[in-house]
Amino acid sequence: MSFIEIREISKSYGDLPVLNRLAMSVEEHQVVSLIGPSGSGKSTLLRCINGLEPIDSGEIRVHGDRITGPGVDVNALRRDIGIVFQGYNLFPHMTVLQNVTLAPIQVLKQPRAEAEDRAMELLKRFSLAHKAKEYPDRMSGGQQQRVAIVRALAMDPMVLLLDEITSALDPELVSEVLNIVRDLANEGMTMLLATHEMGFAREVSSKVCFLCDGVVCEEGPPEQIFAEPQRDRTRSFLRSIREAKRI
Ligand SMILES: Nc1ncnc2c1ncn2[C@@H]1O[C@H](COP(=O)(O)OP(=O)(O)O)[C@@H](O)[C@H]1O
Ligand SMILES: [Mg+2]
């Protein structure tokens, strides 16, 4: 069984079907990239895996455990599955250190000193220790996004979901965030990421899934998806991305 198994899940918002019996899987220590047109359901899929959105039918399993449907402890799920968004979502009235230690203290019930030691260790590792007492709005977007990743890592998640985490950044700040993801990939962190950074997806992914019409239209190793896509839809999507010089 795969580490994450998504079994024919469907999800609509009112009359709008977004995911339509979508199936895919992620192996442990794999990095899987979700690509696809805007509105193809990448964010919805990530939010369903994290329990932020209920699904209408189907099933998601992580590490063998069913994480959708009745009786699931959504809070436990969110402890184990980290998610980082495009807009960082740091608490503006809290320092970096407070942002990073909040969930370990409140949710994992770690003693403050222990949570702070661990937070400082992570901040140091990502060259952010000198920002521990800083407030988010006094930092660059790249620094804020790195803090958001550290905050997710402080919970020791089994899986990290990353939703377009570089999309809000000025171009010169993208690489400092992607470098963290690259490091985490090298360390074997299991990650599922929605991205428009095709060069990065090609470099870092074990597998790329192209979403369209509510399903995974095409999936495969990055060399195949980017160099020899099999489906017309995939080809035309990649062509439009190339024309926009995003690859
Ligand atoms: N909370 C919501 N309520 C209603 N419609 C939504 C909501 N979230 C997303 N949608 C719609 O669902 C579709 C898929 O959106 P999304 O998952 O954000 O796609 P992507 O991340 O691939 O751009 C879009 O048509 C979007 O407008
Ligand atoms: Mg999205």
Side-chain angles (χ1 to χ4, degrees):
M1 184 183 284
S2 299
F3 195 65
I4 303 179
E5 290 220 351
I6 296 163
R7 297 180 177 170
E8 305 220 333
I9 64 167
S10 296
K11 167 78 186 170
S12 302
Y13 292 109
D15 294 338
L16 177 73
V18 177
L19 307 178
N20 186 12
R21 302 173 72 93
L22 180 145
M24 67 173 289
S25 61
V26 180
E27 304 303 325
E28 195 165 17
H29 310 303
Q30 259 195 354
V31 177
V32 174
S33 292
L34 301 172
I35 62 170
S38 177
S40 58
K42 304 179 293 295
S43 298
T44 300
L45 175 58
L46 295 178
R47 293 166 61 85
C48 288
I49 298 171
N50 181 250
L52 289 167
E53 288 288 351
I55 58 176
D56 302 330
S57 62
E59 181 177 275
I60 303 176
R61 285 182 178 262
V62 176
H63 209 39
D65 295 329
R66 185 173 54 79
I67 62 158
T68 49
V72 168
D73 180 352
V74 178
N75 292 322
L77 176 65
R78 293 199 192 130
R79 279 201 292 274
D80 289 338
I81 301 181
I83 188 162
V84 181
F85 303 97
Q86 175 178 333
Y88 337 130
N89 297 13
L90 296 174
F91 295 110
H93 60 291
M94 291 184 181
T95 64
V96 165
L97 189 63
Q98 287 168 336
N99 265 283
V100 175
T101 55
L102 182 71
I105 291 171
Q106 296 211 337
V107 180
L108 300 183
K109 309 291 179 204
Q110 285 177 9
R112 178 174 300 277
E114 188 184 307
E116 288 184 349
D117 283 353
R118 169 83 175 122
M120 286 310 298
E121 209 176 279
L122 285 168
L123 290 170
K124 211 172 289 168
R125 213 179 102 200
F126 296 115
S127 309
L128 288 161
H130 63 296
K131 296 288 181 190
K133 298 220 161 66
E134 195 59 275
Y135 286 87
D137 66 357
R138 295 172 51 102
M139 298 167 65
S140 73
Q143 287 169 335
Q144 291 186 56
Q145 191 57 293
R146 282 153 57 207
V147 170
I149 295 171
V150 166
R151 179 174 62 173
L153 292 174
M155 294 295 281
D156 261 328
M158 297 192 300
V159 183
L160 208 48
L161 309 176
L162 306 173
D163 192 3
E164 305 271 4
I165 57 167
T166 58
S167 296
L169 298 176
D170 291 334
E172 76 272 20
L173 302 178
V174 167
S175 64
E176 66 185 63
V177 171
L178 293 184
N179 284 340
I180 290 193
V181 179
R182 192 179 284 119
D183 286 351
L184 293 172
N186 289 334
E187 287 167 20
M189 173 66 84
T190 308
M191 288 184 280
L192 181 55
L193 53 107
T195 187
H196 279 121
E197 303 286 344
M198 297 298 155
F200 183 69
R202 186 169 187 160
E203 173 206 323
V204 83
S205 310
S206 340
K207 179 165 85 171
V208 176
C209 295
F210 172 64
L211 262 61
C212 67
D213 299 332
V215 295
V216 177
C217 276
E218 181 166 355
E219 67 174 289
E223 312 81 61
Q224 180 198 313
I225 298 294
F226 291 112
E228 295 175 74
Q230 306 294 303
R231 306 279 301 264
D232 285 346
R233 290 292 297 270
T234 319
R235 277 194 285 269
S236 68
F237 171 73
L238 290 172
R239 197 179 313 123
S240 67
I241 294 271
R242 280 195 185 98
E243 279 163 8
K245 298 209 179 357
R246 293 292 294 267
I247 201 164

